[in-house]
Amino acid sequence: MSKPLKTSTDRFTSLPEHVAHEILKFLPLEDISRLSVVSRTCRQVCISMPSLKVNAAPYRYSTTKRTQLMNYVDRLLSLRRGMDSRCLFIDWGLPSTEEEHRVLSWLHNAVVCNFKQLKLILRLKSGSEFTVPPSLLCSTSLESLTVNIGINALLKFPSYYSSINGFSSLKSLTLCGVRIDESFSNWVSICCKFLRKLCLSQIKETKSLVINSSSMHQLFISSTYNNELCHLQVSAETLEYMTLRWEFDDPLTTEHCSFLPPSFKFSCGEELS
Amino acid sequence: MSSSSTTTTTTRLLMLKASDGVTFEVEEAVATKLGAINNMVEEEGSEDLICLPNVNGKFLGMVLEWCKKHANNNTNSDKGNDEVNKWWDKEFVMDLDQNTLYHLLMAADYLSGTELVDLLTEKVASMIRGKKVEEIRETFKIKSDFLPGQEEEIRKKNSWAFE
């Protein structure tokens, strides 16, 4: 149990720090920013909260507000270095190039601050690309990464020659509503060596997925609406759970699916539409 | 059902003793909604009397009232019960005075009642949401302990939240 924030008599700042953080998790950053002006103790508890939720959705139509929010996040991240960091959640809609740079700098800061979980939702324009920053792969603390950039944008991964060691702690990777190309299979095998859970949901563009892993326990693949995937190969000797939801739009195309080890038991319900 | 005796023997009763000596007799399924009690039951096994020196009777009673409601409704897998529980929770926190809210939250945290902590912290958050600095100070009777001039500086840095 953490110690009380200080020896005070009021009913907020005399709560233990971890309880005060539980309260803050229900508040948007604008309220937290205001709370930090209430007293020194309040300010301290706002800076040290272990999970940070950055949500630009309420400021969709105000560039000024978004800029102010960005400045606040920058400051918060620089103040909280060395503190216990758990989850960084970023939801940023249709960013301009400048805003995208700021988001990238937060990802870099997430590595410096040793965040354990990172959830990134970027509502990118149709036809645009987003590359996972190579610095993210240097994180020794990152255990869980979730990326959603919109079904019409392409998610790219840093070349594995430049990041040969890959993630050292990443156990869970979730890609939801993104386009990926054929290079993903190779990248995930080489750069995510300790991955225990992979979740691919509403993946577009790639026709082939080849999963090679000696650490994976859970695999979820869902490819349904306007499915483009036609080749799936899984080779993972430690796999315990697998969920596959695969719908074919055109029953005439040849889909191919194979699993290793062949003794792996699975039930498969093919849906032909 | 074969006989009524089989159903009564399956529910074990636990005695919980609060800091002021008040005791509560509760079903194990109710008390184990609290993580701390669940751990004690699992570790100590046969011990039926559990002393809780950090919670007094009034607040322990309220925590157990919440547990009872949620344990009962959990046995029924009816979807409508979720709604009933939400209403009940809303009523439960609606008129809590700040002192009770504080002690209840401390008790829920000490007893690792995660869902109850969520309910109570959300209630506190609703007392902060959308409020001005002065209103937050007033609500919780917080005294500003900034050094002279420091508040102005901090206020300037957070000015975006005041517009």
Side-chain angles (χ1 to χ4, degrees):
Chain A
M1 199 183 275
S2 58
K3 56 183 186 306
L5 297 169
K6 64 166 191 177
T7 47
S8 49
T9 49
D10 74 73
R11 292 299 182 215
F12 181 73
T13 54
S14 54
L15 286 169
E17 193 173 44
H18 72 273
V19 178
H21 287 152
E22 286 296 307
I23 295 167
L24 298 192
K25 91 178 175 204
F26 292 106
L27 295 171
L29 283 179
E30 200 167 331
D31 280 305
I32 288 169
S33 175
R34 234 177 290 124
L35 182 64
S36 63
V37 185
V38 169
S39 74
R40 260 157 76 183
T41 321
C42 287
R43 181 168 180 263
Q44 203 45 46
V45 78
C46 290
I47 292 170
S48 64
M49 57 180 177
S51 295
L52 213 59
K53 243 188 252 175
V54 185
N55 186 359
Y59 314 117
R60 204 179 317 156
Y61 303 110
S62 169
T63 321
T64 322
K65 266 287 200 220
R66 282 207 306 277
T67 307
Q68 289 167 329
L69 175 62
M70 287 192 289
N71 293 342
Y72 182 64
V73 174
D74 279 353
R75 217 151 35 79
L76 210 50
L77 284 171
S78 69
L79 284 170
R80 49 167 303 116
R81 290 196 179 167
M83 292 179 185
D84 173 39
S85 298
R86 254 167 265 158
C87 182
L88 178 61
F89 175 94
I90 301 170
D91 184 341
W92 209 274
L94 288 174
S96 62
T97 319
E98 199 243 320
E99 288 178 14
E100 202 178 309
H101 278 118
R102 298 286 282 269
V103 172
L104 283 171
S105 79
W106 297 339
L107 298 183
H108 177 71
N109 267 315
V111 176
V112 177
C113 289
N114 290 318
F115 276 95
K116 292 185 177 69
Q117 289 179 46
L118 184 61
K119 288 184 190 171
L120 183 64
I121 300 175
L122 293 177
R123 294 155 210 277
L124 295 182
K125 290 188 190 81
S126 179
S128 55
E129 286 182 2
F130 181 81
T131 307
V132 173
S135 63
L136 211 55
L137 274 76
C138 304
S139 168
T140 51
S141 59
L142 193 66
E143 291 172 5
S144 167
L145 175 64
T146 302
V147 185
N148 179 339
I149 58 165
I151 203 78
N152 295 312
L154 181 69
L155 183 65
K156 299 191 85 170
F157 301 91
S159 128
Y160 41 83
Y161 302 110
S162 66
S163 49
I164 202 74
N165 291 321
F167 288 109
S168 58
S169 307
L170 196 73
K171 293 185 179 71
S172 170
L173 176 65
T174 302
L175 304 182
C176 174
V178 298
R179 305 190 88 85
I180 48 173
D181 59 23
E182 263 74 17
S183 69
F184 172 75
S185 298
N186 218 346
W187 180 83
V188 81
S189 303
I190 292 171
C191 294
C192 306
K193 287 207 175 72
F194 308 100
L195 206 61
R196 292 175 68 88
K197 185 178 164 189
L198 177 63
C199 181
L200 303 173
S201 171
Q202 298 309 325
I203 298 303
K204 298 285 163 194
E205 195 148 320
T206 188
K207 290 189 168 51
S208 159
L209 263 181
V210 181
I211 308 292
N212 267 311
S213 171
S214 55
S215 60
M216 200 174 294
H217 281 62
Q218 294 181 49
L219 178 62
F220 300 89
I221 298 174
S222 167
S223 181
T224 52
Y225 181 68
N226 280 341
N227 178 53
E228 285 162 280
L229 186 68
C230 53
H231 174 87
L232 173 65
Q233 189 183 322
V234 178
S235 160
E237 64 253 36
T238 53
L239 200 63
E240 287 169 3
Y241 302 99
M242 175 161 167
T243 304
L244 176 63
R245 198 174 145 74
W246 199 359
E247 274 177 23
F248 310 120
D249 295 321
D250 181 5
L252 297 174
T253 48
T254 45
E255 284 80 16
H256 179 248
C257 167
S258 73
F259 299 93
L260 266 173
S263 62
F264 182 71
K265 288 180 191 132
F266 68 98
S267 57
C268 180
E270 279 189 10
E271 291 177 41
L272 298 161
S273 55
Chain B
M1 210 160 284
S2 53
S3 76
S4 60
S5 64
T6 49
T7 51
T8 47
T9 47
T10 49
T11 48
R12 181 183 158 202
L13 291 174
L14 295 174
M15 285 288 270
L16 305 184
K17 192 173 174 189
S19 60
D20 49 1
V22 181
T23 56
F24 295 85
E25 197 179 44
V26 283
E27 288 175 16
E28 187 178 335
V30 171
T32 48
K33 287 289 286 176
L34 303 165
I37 307 235
N38 193 36
N39 284 347
M40 284 182 218
V41 170
E42 277 177 3
E43 276 169 26
E44 289 161 33
S46 58
E47 199 69 58
D48 283 344
L49 177 72
I50 295 173
C51 292
L52 302 165
N54 285 357
V55 193
N56 86 18
K58 183 187 166 191
F59 303 113
L60 181 57
M62 291 180 81
V63 170
L64 291 173
E65 190 193 341
W66 181 90
C67 290
K68 205 177 270 177
K69 191 71 194 168
H70 285 257
N72 280 347
N73 284 348
N74 274 4
T75 53
N76 247 322
S77 58
D78 189 357
K79 275 263 171 179
N81 263 322
D82 265 5
E83 286 302 308
V84 175
N85 269 1
K86 264 183 205 154
W87 268 107
W88 193 90
D89 279 354
K90 219 175 169 181
E91 297 261 300
F92 186 70
V93 295
M94 195 187 295
D95 295 318
L96 290 180
D97 64 84
Q98 224 180 89
N99 195 44
T100 312
L101 183 57
Y102 172 85
H103 286 288
L104 209 50
L105 183 50
M106 292 296 274
D109 176 58
Y110 167 68
L111 297 165
S112 311
T114 324
E115 288 167 68
L116 182 55
V117 168
D118 268 355
L119 176 68
L120 298 169
T121 47
E122 196 173 2
K123 166 75 181 174
V124 182
S126 75
M127 296 159 76
I128 297 171
R129 196 175 294 125
K131 294 274 172 64
K132 294 186 180 122
V133 174
E134 292 71 22
E135 289 171 329
I136 300 171
R137 279 186 193 141
E138 177 60 34
T139 306
F140 297 98
K141 307 275 178 286
I142 303 172
K143 286 196 190 84
S144 167
D145 51 358
F146 286 116
L147 301 170
Q150 200 180 16
E151 185 180 333
E152 256 330 286
E153 189 194 324
I154 305 282
R155 200 177 266 269
K156 218 178 271 172
K157 281 183 180 164
N158 292 279
S159 60
W160 75 286
F162 298 100
E163 284 158 12

